[in-house]
Amino acid sequence: MRVFSSPSLVVSVHLAGGLGFLGAPTKISNLSSLFTQTRSLLNVPAKSMLPVGIGFQTFNTDLEMAIEAVRTHTPVAVWLFVPRDGQLEFELWTRRIRDVSPQTRVWIQVGSVADAVAAASSRTPPDVLVLQGSDAGGHGLAKSAGIISLLPEVADALKDIGKDIPLMAAGGIADGRGVAAVLNLGAIGAAMGTRFLASEEAEVSEGYRNDVVRTVDGGQNTVRTSLYDELSGRTDWPAIYDGRNVVNESWRDREKGVQVEENRRRYEEAGKKGDEGWGEQGRLTAYMGSAVGLVREVKKAGDIVREAREEAVAAMRRARCLL
């Protein structure tokens, strides 16, 4: 969701009672504009804290420009992900964020018990740990566990070392039933990405959005792979990460033994077709989680938040009746 999360999306999430995160744009110099648009939509005075967050991939984001944006716009939270140099990189970013905006809460995303323990035990522990399970769409650890086992194991590991850090769950959560499940496992909340790709406010191509809505049986029709990074020329991702994408012609050609160079040529040709580059016979990158089969229609972001909350409450009440 990083590059698809628009000011209107995060504002809609906020107004519905959630916490929306802007995604740092590919050109970090455009970040100030996103903050300014968000502040305008919320009618928040210039020097007041913005009630939304911002997410940064630390491995390829200019630290100084990011820190200046945080200093100027004071988002309520900063979400950090993908360090090239591990926990030391997170520590540097955390220190700098807290220096310029002490009230901003630092969220760190990890995908393993070891990384969670390292973050919690560091000299600059995060305010929130986001645990990403293997069902997540987009990039995550290539070697990872599902959120159902990852979350309680991390909770136990932190308890063993005397650390009490709030946990957010991500990966494979697309409705209120998933939210209820992770709340019962010890999370304070859930992060949903794939579901919001099918929101009216997401800045996503119509062909991509249609892929999200049409795809079912996500365990069979999505795949974790680094292929789409290769095809799109994204060779800068740390080697321990790959991405979950819809199964399409690019993947099927790889399975048939088509060489990367030829596959890339076909991918680039598909990119010239606009929305037709996605679809049943599409080839383009369409990152989505394995819970995509639960996403059946496009809705307003605020409605997604409200419905998920109501469904979570109903699911927890049903579970209580079974005890």
Side-chain angles (χ1 to χ4, degrees):
M1 280 295 295
R2 182 180 66 87
V3 295
F4 308 122
S5 187
S6 67
S8 61
L9 192 158
V10 300
V11 167
S12 294
V13 168
H14 165 72
L15 294 176
L19 176 56
F21 279 81
L22 290 166
T26 303
K27 289 186 177 180
I28 194 69
S29 57
N30 295 335
L31 180 56
S32 184
S33 174
L34 292 181
F35 274 127
T36 300
Q37 292 176 54
T38 304
R39 192 175 290 278
S40 176
L41 289 171
L42 288 169
N43 196 28
V44 174
K47 294 187 178 181
S48 298
M49 175 165 276
L50 266 179
V52 302
I54 177 70
F56 294 113
Q57 292 175 173
T58 63
F59 82 100
N60 65 351
T61 299
D62 185 292
L63 173 60
E64 298 306 323
M65 295 183 74
I67 292 301
E68 179 59 23
V70 171
R71 184 193 68 78
T72 302
H73 298 284
T74 57
V76 70
V78 173
W79 182 328
L80 305 178
F81 178 45
V82 199
R84 190 175 298 281
D85 296 322
Q87 181 56 39
L88 290 177
E89 190 168 305
F90 279 153
E91 289 182 13
L92 171 61
W93 276 73
T94 300
R95 285 197 303 271
R96 296 293 304 279
I97 291 165
R98 289 172 175 163
D99 283 346
V100 300
S101 185
Q103 291 181 300
T104 295
R105 296 294 176 254
V106 177
W107 294 31
I108 287 180
Q109 179 178 321
V110 296
S112 72
V113 177
D115 286 348
V117 169
S121 304
S122 72
R123 292 170 293 179
T124 57
D127 298 294
V128 175
L129 270 173
V130 183
L131 307 180
Q132 184 194 46
S134 57
D135 288 312
H139 287 85
L141 288 179
K143 292 175 62 178
S144 54
I147 194 65
I148 295 297
S149 61
L150 178 62
L151 175 55
E153 188 175 358
V154 168
D156 289 349
L158 297 189
K159 182 178 179 180
D160 288 344
I161 61 173
K163 302 296 182 181
D164 184 18
I165 296 177
L167 304 177
M168 286 286 293
I173 305 164
D175 64 16
R177 293 169 294 181
V179 174
V182 297
L183 291 179
N184 278 297
L185 288 169
I188 63 164
M192 293 193 292
T194 299
R195 183 62 191 92
F196 286 97
L197 288 172
S199 66
E200 293 181 8
E201 298 89 339
E203 292 186 344
V204 59
S205 299
E206 194 64 24
Y208 188 163
R209 197 195 320 266
N210 290 341
D211 261 5
V212 172
V213 174
R214 74 170 180 82
T215 301
V216 297
D217 201 1
Q220 298 298 308
N221 292 312
T222 65
V223 61
R224 295 204 68 92
T225 177
S226 59
L227 172 66
Y228 295 90
D229 288 329
E230 296 179 64
L231 299 183
S232 61
R234 287 296 310 273
T235 58
D236 56 340
W237 275 86
I240 61 174
Y241 294 92
D242 63 9
R244 184 178 292 279
N245 197 86
V246 70
V247 170
N248 60 20
E249 288 300 296
S250 293
W251 175 256
R252 286 189 280 267
D253 276 354
R254 172 174 172 159
E255 294 289 273
K256 294 174 185 175
V258 175
Q259 295 300 305
V260 171
E261 292 77 12
E262 173 59 19
N263 208 348
R264 184 180 296 117
R265 185 192 68 77
R266 297 176 185 180
Y267 180 95
E268 292 171 352
E269 285 298 312
K272 300 174 183 177
K273 298 179 180 180
D275 287 331
E276 293 182 7
W278 288 277
E280 294 285 353
Q281 304 302 315
R283 310 191 70 91
L284 298 180
T285 304
Y287 289 128
M288 61 188 74
S290 62
V292 67
L294 299 174
V295 181
R296 301 184 179 95
E297 59 182 319
V298 177
K299 294 184 178 181
K300 294 182 181 298
D303 289 340
I304 292 171
V305 174
R306 284 184 284 268
E307 289 175 13
R309 182 168 54 239
E310 291 167 4
E311 191 175 29
V313 171
M316 295 179 79
R317 285 175 176 163
R318 285 195 302 272
R320 182 180 299 175
C321 291
L322 297 173
L323 297 178

Short mmCIF file of all heavy atoms in Angstrom, two decimals, residues 106 301 323:
data_model
loop_
_atom_site.label_atom_id
_atom_site.label_comp_id
_atom_site.label_asym_id
_atom_site.label_seq_id
_atom_site.Cartn_x
_atom_site.Cartn_y
_atom_site.Cartn_z
N VAL A 106 6.94 5.87 17.18
CA VAL A 106 7.70 5.09 16.19
C VAL A 106 7.17 3.66 16.14
O VAL A 106 7.17 2.96 17.15
CB VAL A 106 9.20 5.10 16.52
CG1 VAL A 106 9.97 4.23 15.52
CG2 VAL A 106 9.74 6.53 16.51
N ALA A 301 -13.16 4.05 1.85
CA ALA A 301 -12.24 3.62 2.91
C ALA A 301 -12.89 3.70 4.28
O ALA A 301 -12.71 2.81 5.12
CB ALA A 301 -10.97 4.48 2.87
N LEU A 323 -17.93 -20.33 24.62
CA LEU A 323 -17.12 -20.70 25.79
C LEU A 323 -17.99 -21.29 26.89
O LEU A 323 -19.15 -20.96 27.04
CB LEU A 323 -16.39 -19.45 26.32
CG LEU A 323 -15.39 -18.82 25.35
CD1 LEU A 323 -14.78 -17.59 25.98
CD2 LEU A 323 -14.29 -19.83 25.01
#
